Amino acid sequence: MEPPANPGDGPVELEFTVENVESALYQLYFDPVMERKNVAQKWLTQAQASAQAWQFCWALLGPDKLPEIQFFGASTLHTKISHHWSDLPTDQHESLRMQLLSHILHFSSGPKMVLTRLCVALASMALNLIPQVWSQPVADMVRAFQPQKADSEGAQDPQAHCLALLELLTVLPEEFQSGRLAQARRTQLRGALVGEWAVVCPLLRQLLQSQDSSNQVKEKVLRCLSSWVGLDVPLGESHELVQDCFGALSNPELFDTAVETIVNAISQPDSQRCIDALVNLMPLVLGLHDQLKTAAQDGDMETSHGICRIAVAMGETHSRVLLEQVEHWQEYLALVNMILFCTGIPGHYPVSETSSSLTLTFWYTLQDDILSFEEEKQAVYLQVYRPVYFQLVDVLLHKSHYPSQDEYASWSSDDKEQFRIYRVDISDTLMYVYEMLGAELLSNLYDRLGRQLMDPQQSAVWQDTEALLFGFQSIAETIDVNYSDVIPGLIGLIPRINISNVMLADTVMYTIGSLAEWLADHPVMLDGILPMVLQGLVKAELSVSSVSTLKRICRECRHDLGPYAQDILTMSQDVLVKEIHKSSQCMWLMQALGFLLSALPVEEILGRLHSLITPHVQQLDTLAQQEVVVVLQQVFTLIQNILSKWLDDSEVVEAVCGVFDKSVRTLLHDFGPMVAQLSEMLGQIYCAFPQASALDLARQMVHIFAGEEHHTSNLKSLIEVLTSTTLTIFHQGPRDHPDIAESFMHLHAQILKRKPDMYLSDQLDVKRLFYCGILTLKFPETLTVKAATLFFTELLPRCKDMPSLGEVLQRDGKLLTETILQAIGGESPRSLTEHFSEVLFSLNRHCPALLSQWLKETLQTPGFPSAQVSTEQKNTFRQQLLSEQTHKRRVKDIVKEFSLLCRGLQGSGYSDY
């Protein structure tokens, strides 16, 4: 089929006829030029909203049209019915319904995408008419799809009609769930649809049980049930159908869909009220245990994962209700043991099994429910379930085992990261279980670790030792173990561990770190432990664990480390000079040494600090002056020397700004004596090599020192230099420097907040600054735009008191308003709408008359800010906005609603996100 003539680059002026719509669709689907595709897309959106769409949509559904054209016709029908229903005269409702049913029957054999859109359109129509006008929609739909109907229409396949009916019944609840409805209407419709379940349920049962139903029909039945349970149809009315779904689990083609349906059905919170139905489903869930064991044995991950989901949904959603069915306690215990099997399923997560992680939250839920019972009842349940939880601990420790080193090396980085997160989840579960099992859990772990380390054969398996230590560490990290009688024994056992394996050594380090508070109360035990930590310090592969553990010990035990200070300092100095650790670990190590030195006598501190710092200062000096070695100089002079060599190295400049930024934040006003020097140096840095970090540092200085008159001159000079240089960047084109634009806006927002009289300076070009703000609003980067909106919300309140700002606002306020309207009309991401609304709110508070004028002038332009909104909608927006000067939240809602209208998303379900 030949495509119609191309509508060209400007289809906006074309009439909304079938031919022009087809032409625009060809342009959209087949034109290689993106700009022309976008033009076609915009025009087609307008076409769908037009009154003519009610007519041309049927022509597009003609049998001779391409599927893409037919799909657009069906989509247009849905758009008209869901968004423009009130445009259709009442006397045309019946003919529309008959046309839709006729077309659904015609497309029942495909294409599937067209059929689905037609079903969604009819579902949307039903939701507009239920219950007053269309009182029995499901019965009518079923009648329309009866086999005899098919025979009378022509040789259509009865199975295709059956599938089309199921598609229609499936999308009906889905369309209800996704539609934007007033609460009262939603409640009314939900009640009416739940009433229709009495017709749907027997039909689905009949189709699922029928020998004649194909797998395709049965799968559609399962999906249809899933859709309806989302309406909270009572489990009591559908439990027989849910029971039938268990039969589908033995069919490999239906297994995944059946799992999804069963899980959805039994996960409905409302189903707790149908206790008999739950009790009747329990044997069916337990009956899957053999299939689960076989799947686990065969390494069938999909099957074991699916059955595990069903067991967990049953156990977790209804834990308390099932616990309270005392006469069925053995069945629930059997379900708990089935879930325990899932937790301990053979294989390593996530490589050879993916089920165990699904079960972890169940154990929290069960424990919470048991411990929430009154004391006497709780004691009975604990008698039954404490042994299960001790088994759970064994299972979790086994599941936390690392694989062999060769196997682990073959894992992808993604698998390793998932395994790390999985171990964190296990750790959290162990910590939680401690609440139920208490001190007996720690004794249990300690006894097992002791037996293992005393037996050479057992201790050869490093994973067993690592897992037990991991269990200890999990509990000690969050539970106060200071009063536990097993910790002294554990501290005594740790030096016996062979830490030649890196993963075991890591866990040993973290375990010691978790016991740092206990060591502070028992410093005599440091003697056996500290040498292990210092040994770990020299190994790069133990960098994070050994340094963080030393830091914790130095922080908690600093007053008892005198005898070990020399060893710690010597070893630390050695690893720092050898550059074994990355810079972040070196910082931690310096913090550790800071804790250590702080507890030493004053006269010792200076000497040790001198010996620690001198090599690093000399290293800095060598970098600055490679020819001459000079006596120790002040740090500031050193940094100036370094900058003179590497001023064009962004990393060096950023590091220098980082040093001073931390200094200013830490010392606050005590940094005052250096403001003049730093202001001068910062100006020089920025002029030579503009960087966002320099602007951020200047912002900190304004924040802290703007209120001190003796610093005003230096800060004023610095701001003038930074502003002048940045304005040049904006003049040349700021698009490649979003970070500079963002930091520049933040800097000027801070100036307006802390020292607005700086804007009285003749050296600050306020007009250009205002225009820079407008340009920054157009950036695509979220953080950059947020900074610009902050700048304007700080600037606008000052316009009344500062004539220079008032003049600029009078001159360029309309441009600002226009820019914001363009942004919310579709130029900027929808996530930024809230920030733009803050500027409009500020404009309305501080210059309402001007804003009224600017809105009137800009919004009267046809198609601005979007062709999707009518003149009436624009007027409504303007009136709503201007009437709200006090409630910021309300303004945000008004702007958000207008933005959705502009983007054609009103009523599409997007507005909920």
Side-chain angles (χ1 to χ4, degrees):
M1 177 180 166
E2 284 297 310
N6 191 302
D9 293 336
V12 179
E13 305 83 18
L14 295 175
E15 289 180 39
F16 299 126
T17 62
V18 178
E19 294 73 21
N20 288 339
V21 170
E22 280 197 66
S23 184
L25 283 167
Y26 273 95
Q27 189 168 312
L28 176 66
Y29 289 125
F30 306 117
D31 196 315
V33 180
M34 188 51 72
E35 284 177 18
R36 290 209 286 266
K37 282 180 182 288
N38 291 339
V39 170
Q41 174 77 62
K42 283 185 179 176
W43 185 83
L44 286 165
T45 305
Q46 293 170 28
Q48 280 190 317
S50 71
Q52 295 93 311
W54 287 107
Q55 282 74 49
F56 70 61
C57 60
W58 300 110
L60 297 176
L61 285 163
D64 58 330
K65 304 296 184 191
L66 286 176
E68 291 86 353
I69 307 261
Q70 293 171 332
F71 178 77
F72 183 78
S75 294
T76 300
L77 256 176
H78 176 238
T79 301
K80 299 307 290 181
I81 292 169
S82 57
H83 295 152
H84 305 274
W85 180 246
S86 58
D87 297 350
L88 190 71
T90 312
D91 59 4
Q92 292 182 28
H93 288 178
E94 185 57 28
S95 64
L96 174 63
R97 181 169 70 170
M98 297 314 293
Q99 273 183 293
L100 269 169
L101 280 167
S102 168
H103 276 77
I104 290 171
L105 286 166
H106 174 76
F107 281 98
S108 60
S109 299
K112 173 74 166 61
M113 62 178 184
V114 181
L115 173 66
T116 300
R117 291 317 289 168
L118 288 169
C119 288
V120 171
L122 184 56
S124 185
M125 181 178 183
L127 295 177
N128 281 318
L129 298 175
I130 296 171
Q132 294 89 342
V133 180
W134 198 354
S135 57
Q136 296 180 311
V138 171
D140 291 346
M141 290 172 187
V142 172
R143 203 174 302 113
F145 285 86
Q146 288 302 314
Q148 62 267 26
K149 179 89 174 176
D151 296 340
S152 65
E153 292 232 339
Q156 279 282 353
D157 178 6
Q159 174 168 296
H161 279 203
C162 180
L163 288 168
L165 173 61
L166 288 169
E167 179 72 16
L168 185 51
L169 294 178
T170 302
V171 300
L172 185 59
E174 289 172 357
E175 183 69 2
F176 165 76
Q177 300 283 23
S178 64
R180 276 192 56 155
L181 298 162
Q183 191 55 49
R185 176 65 178 149
R186 181 171 287 279
T187 305
Q188 181 193 35
L189 266 179
R190 184 188 294 277
L193 287 173
V194 169
E196 294 290 292
W197 180 239
V199 183
V200 178
C201 187
L203 173 69
L204 297 185
R205 278 206 80 189
Q206 181 192 338
L207 289 170
L208 198 56
Q209 291 175 339
S210 169
Q211 296 291 320
D212 299 332
S213 293
S214 64
N215 279 346
Q216 203 180 353
V217 167
K218 288 181 177 178
E219 184 178 13
K220 202 73 206 158
V221 168
L222 293 167
R223 291 191 189 282
C224 188
L225 171 57
S226 251
S227 177
W228 280 82
V229 296
L231 294 175
D232 295 333
V233 293
L235 185 61
E237 292 179 21
S238 49
H239 73 275
E240 291 172 328
L241 177 55
V242 176
Q243 288 175 12
D244 294 341
C245 296
F246 279 82
L249 292 170
S250 57
N251 184 331
E253 286 185 41
L254 300 177
F255 181 83
D256 289 343
T257 313
V259 167
E260 202 64 46
T261 303
I262 293 167
V263 168
N264 286 343
I266 58 183
S267 297
Q268 295 299 319
D270 199 46
S271 55
Q272 291 184 1
R273 292 191 304 207
C274 310
I275 294 168
D276 290 344
L278 287 172
V279 169
N280 289 336
L281 288 173
M282 185 71 89
L284 292 170
V285 177
L286 295 176
L288 299 171
H289 205 156
D290 287 341
Q291 191 181 350
L292 171 65
K293 285 178 180 172
T294 305
Q297 203 174 338
D298 297 345
D300 180 353
M301 287 164 65
E302 285 75 18
T303 301
S304 47
H305 188 89
I307 294 174
C308 175
R309 283 185 64 202
I310 293 171
V312 170
M314 189 69 160
E316 194 172 330
T317 312
H318 309 297
S319 168
R320 190 177 185 88
V321 171
L322 293 170
L323 277 171
E324 287 175 333
Q325 306 311 302
V326 181
E327 66 276 20
H328 296 286
W329 72 272
Q330 286 173 306
E331 283 188 349
Y332 189 56
L333 181 59
L335 179 66
V336 171
N337 279 312
M338 184 176 173
I339 295 172
L340 183 63
F341 177 84
C342 294
T343 307
I345 204 158
H348 272 110
Y349 181 91
V351 175
S352 51
E353 67 91 1
T354 55
S355 306
S356 57
S357 64
L358 303 174
T359 66
L360 298 181
T361 53
F362 164 75
W363 299 108
Y364 287 72
T365 305
L366 178 60
Q367 179 175 316
D368 285 346
D369 286 335
I370 290 170
L371 297 181
S372 70
F373 288 129
E374 49 87 17
E375 206 169 325
E376 202 173 312
K377 196 173 179 182
Q378 188 186 119
V380 176
Y381 282 104
L382 285 175
Q383 204 174 345
V384 175
Y385 287 101
R386 265 175 67 89
V388 177
Y389 271 81
F390 273 111
Q391 279 181 273
L392 172 66
V393 171
D394 290 348
V395 166
L396 290 174
L397 292 178
H398 182 73
K399 292 299 292 183
S400 70
H401 276 198
Y402 280 97
S404 68
Q405 282 181 290
D406 288 346
E407 189 184 338
Y408 190 66
S410 72
W411 285 13
S412 68
S413 57
D414 188 44
D415 286 339
K416 288 177 181 175
E417 177 59 11
Q418 282 194 57
F419 182 61
R420 185 193 69 77
I421 294 167
Y422 175 66
R423 278 175 51 104
V424 170
D425 292 340
I426 288 178
S427 174
D428 291 344
T429 310
L430 288 168
M431 178 269 292
Y432 206 76
V433 166
Y434 180 82
E435 188 185 347
M436 181 186 271
L437 303 182
E440 195 181 338
L441 172 55
L442 288 178
S443 301
N444 183 304
L445 294 176
Y446 171 66
D447 291 343
R448 286 174 59 186
L449 184 64
R451 286 197 300 274
Q452 210 172 82
L453 293 175
M454 297 304 168
D455 181 341
Q457 277 189 316
Q458 283 192 49
S459 59
V461 184
W462 65 267
Q463 287 97 332
D464 291 339
T465 307
E466 192 278 335
L468 286 167
L469 284 174
F470 171 72
F472 263 114
Q473 178 218 331
S474 301
I475 295 161
E477 278 293 359
T478 44
I479 306 293
D480 183 3
V481 294
N482 280 9
Y483 304 104
S484 170
D485 54 3
V486 304
I487 302 300
L490 174 63
I491 295 284
L493 285 175
I494 285 176
R496 291 172 168 271
I497 298 170
N498 176 352
I499 59 169
S500 55
N501 179 279
V502 172
M503 291 157 192
L504 174 57
D506 246 343
T507 304
V508 167
M509 292 297 153
Y510 285 126
T511 306
I512 295 169
S514 71
L515 298 171
E517 286 184 40
W518 187 91
L519 287 166
D521 292 335
H522 307 83
V524 69
M525 304 299 281
L526 282 164
D527 214 35
I529 289 292
L530 204 53
M532 288 187 83
V533 179
L534 295 179
Q535 283 170 34
L537 214 57
V538 301
K539 297 178 180 176
E541 61 272 24
L542 298 180
S543 180
V544 175
S545 59
S546 61
V547 173
S548 66
T549 296
L550 181 63
K551 180 182 165 184
R552 291 177 79 167
I553 290 173
C554 288
R555 184 178 64 213
E556 302 298 337
C557 310
R558 66 183 96 176
H559 299 294
D560 301 293
L561 291 177
Y564 313 102
Q566 189 56 53
D567 288 347
I568 295 172
L569 284 162
T570 302
M571 186 66 79
S572 301
Q573 185 66 57
D574 187 47
V575 298
L576 285 167
V577 168
K578 289 178 180 173
E579 298 183 352
I580 288 172
H581 304 290
K582 291 180 179 175
S583 59
S584 52
Q585 276 75 58
C586 290
M587 285 172 66
W588 291 359
L589 189 51
M590 282 298 200
Q591 287 171 1
L593 299 178
F595 289 128
L596 174 66
L597 293 175
S598 68
L600 296 179
V602 175
E603 60 275 11
E604 268 192 64
I605 292 176
L606 290 172
R608 292 186 184 278
L609 190 59
H610 187 268
S611 65
L612 187 65
I613 297 293
T614 299
H616 302 289
V617 175
Q618 286 175 341
Q619 191 180 6
L620 275 174
D621 197 31
T622 306
L623 282 171
Q625 303 187 21
Q626 290 170 346
E627 290 80 25
V628 186
V629 175
V630 293
V631 185
L632 185 63
Q633 295 175 341
Q634 288 183 328
V635 171
F636 194 86
T637 313
L638 268 178
I639 287 175
Q640 280 183 312
N641 287 339
I642 291 171
L643 277 173
S644 69
K645 305 265 179 174
W646 286 292
L647 190 56
D648 58 349
D649 187 316
S650 61
E651 287 188 21
V652 172
V653 172
E654 204 164 310
V656 167
C657 290
V659 167
F660 285 116
D661 188 66
K662 282 181 182 163
S663 305
V664 171
R665 287 170 187 266
T666 307
L667 296 172
L668 300 175
H669 294 283
D670 292 339
F671 190 85
M674 292 190 70
V675 168
Q677 281 176 292
L678 183 55
S679 296
E680 187 182 352
M681 185 180 83
L682 205 51
Q684 291 168 354
I685 289 175
Y686 195 75
C687 286
F689 195 76
Q691 283 232 73
S693 52
L695 296 170
D696 294 335
L697 176 52
R699 173 160 58 97
Q700 281 302 326
M701 291 169 71
V702 170
H703 176 63
I704 293 163
F705 300 109
E708 298 179 21
E709 285 304 317
H710 55 289
H711 292 310
T712 299
S713 174
N714 290 314
L715 288 177
K716 186 167 170 287
S717 302
L718 171 62
I719 298 306
E720 286 168 359
V721 168
L722 297 178
T723 301
S724 168
T725 306
T726 310
L727 289 175
T728 305
I729 293 171
F730 267 87
H731 181 68
Q732 291 165 350
R735 197 49 218 95
D736 295 333
H737 308 285
D739 54 338
I740 288 179
E742 179 190 335
S743 296
F744 186 58
M745 289 293 108
H746 275 304
L747 170 61
H748 275 276
Q750 188 70 265
I751 294 166
L752 287 160
K753 191 174 187 176
R754 301 280 291 134
K755 195 72 176 167
D757 54 4
M758 279 193 187
Y759 269 59
L760 299 172
S761 164
D762 294 336
Q763 302 301 311
L764 275 187
D765 190 334
V766 181
K767 290 178 187 175
R768 287 178 70 193
L769 270 172
F770 194 92
Y771 189 64
C772 285
I774 291 174
L775 284 178
T776 309
L777 287 172
K778 297 182 177 185
F779 275 54
E781 289 82 5
T782 299
L783 294 176
T784 309
V785 174
K786 280 173 73 173
T789 60
L790 180 66
F791 166 68
F792 281 113
T793 52
E794 290 292 347
L795 181 141
L796 293 169
R798 310 280 178 194
C799 290
K800 280 184 183 173
D801 308 324
M802 301 179 71
S804 58
L805 289 181
E807 284 171 25
V808 174
L809 182 63
Q810 287 270 5
R811 196 190 75 162
D812 287 331
K814 182 182 173 184
L815 179 60
L816 171 62
T817 307
E818 198 175 278
T819 303
I820 290 171
L821 290 174
Q822 263 179 324
I824 63 178
E827 289 288 318
S828 291
R830 206 154 43 89
S831 56
L832 292 172
T833 303
E834 193 165 300
H835 303 291
F836 292 121
S837 70
E838 300 219 353
V839 183
L840 287 175
F841 179 72
S842 191
L843 280 166
N844 200 24
R845 285 195 77 167
H846 301 291
C847 51
L850 286 170
L851 178 63
S852 175
Q853 180 190 330
W854 296 329
L855 284 171
K856 189 175 180 182
E857 290 171 6
T858 51
L859 289 174
Q860 70 186 11
T861 308
F864 180 86
S866 159
Q868 300 271 9
V869 282
S870 64
T871 304
E872 187 184 345
Q873 287 169 324
K874 290 195 274 190
N875 287 337
T876 303
F877 166 67
R878 178 171 163 267
Q879 288 160 11
Q880 287 179 332
L881 184 64
L882 292 171
S883 66
E884 193 55 79
Q885 293 186 356
T886 49
H887 298 104
K888 192 183 286 188
R889 182 73 261 163
R890 175 74 186 119
V891 170
K892 286 180 180 176
D893 289 342
I894 291 166
V895 174
K896 178 185 172 185
E897 204 69 14
F898 185 65
S899 180
L900 289 168
L901 281 170
C902 290
R903 297 164 198 263
L905 299 176
Q906 238 295 354
S908 64
Y910 283 102
S911 48
D912 299 331
Y913 298 102

